[in-house]
Amino acid sequence: MWRTNAVISMLVEDVAELRILEPPDTSPEERAAERPELEALTKARRRALLVSLVDWAAILVLLAFHSGPSSFLPFEASTNTVFTLGVLAVATHAGFRLGQARTYKTVTRACQDLWEREGD
C-alpha cells in the first residue's frame, strides 16, 4: 500500500533535511489544502539562492579590491595566499548552496508529482 503523505514527509525531512513546522490548531483538511511541505521547500530554496547570490557578490567585491598584479595563488606564506584561500572557500560555499537549491527544487517536483498521482 502506497502512503503518499509518508513518502512526501520522508522526502522533505530525510532528503531535503527540512523540518515542517505546523500550527497545532490545523485540521488534516486544512493541512492538505495548505501544503506546508511546499512552503518549507520554497522558503529554503529561496534562502539558498539568496545566500549563494551574496557569496558571489562578496567574491566580486573581493576581486575588485584585490591589490595589484601579483600572482593569484602564490606558494609562500603571505596575505595573497590567505586571500586566495578565502575566495576559494566563499566560492565553495556558493556552489554548495546552489546544489542545495537544486535539491530543494527536485524534491518539490517529486512531491508535486506524488500529489498529482494520488488521485489515480
Side-chain angles (χ1 to χ4, degrees), residues 52 54-67 71-74 78-96:
S52 179
V54 169
D55 283 344
W56 286 109
I59 289 172
L60 288 175
V61 168
L62 286 171
L63 292 176
F65 292 113
H66 182 59
S67 62
S71 62
F72 187 69
L73 187 58
S78 69
T79 57
N80 284 337
T81 304
V82 173
F83 171 80
T84 301
L85 293 176
V87 168
L88 291 175
V90 173
T92 301
H93 185 257
F96 167 75

Side-chain angles (χ1 to χ4, degrees), residues 14-120:
D14 295 340
V15 175
E17 296 183 0
L18 294 175
R19 290 183 46 191
I20 303 167
L21 301 175
E22 302 173 17
D25 57 348
T26 58
S27 67
E29 294 82 24
E30 290 174 348
R31 184 184 180 279
E34 292 177 2
R35 305 270 195 236
E37 296 89 355
L38 286 180
E39 185 178 328
L41 285 165
T42 302
K43 284 181 182 178
R45 183 169 184 260
R46 213 175 283 140
R47 187 173 48 248
L49 290 172
L50 178 67
V51 169
S52 179
L53 182 67
V54 169
D55 283 344
W56 286 109
I59 289 172
L60 288 175
V61 168
L62 286 171
L63 292 176
F65 292 113
H66 182 59
S67 62
S70 60
S71 62
F72 187 69
L73 187 58
F75 292 107
E76 70 268 354
S78 69
T79 57
N80 284 337
T81 304
V82 173
F83 171 80
T84 301
L85 293 176
V87 168
L88 291 175
V90 173
T92 301
H93 185 257
F96 167 75
R97 294 300 288 209
L98 284 174
Q100 201 174 32
R102 185 174 178 183
T103 300
Y104 294 147
K105 184 176 182 181
T106 303
V107 170
T108 301
R109 280 191 308 222
C111 290
Q112 289 172 339
D113 187 42
L114 286 171
W115 278 313
E116 287 174 8
R117 292 182 185 197
E118 187 176 25
D120 295 341

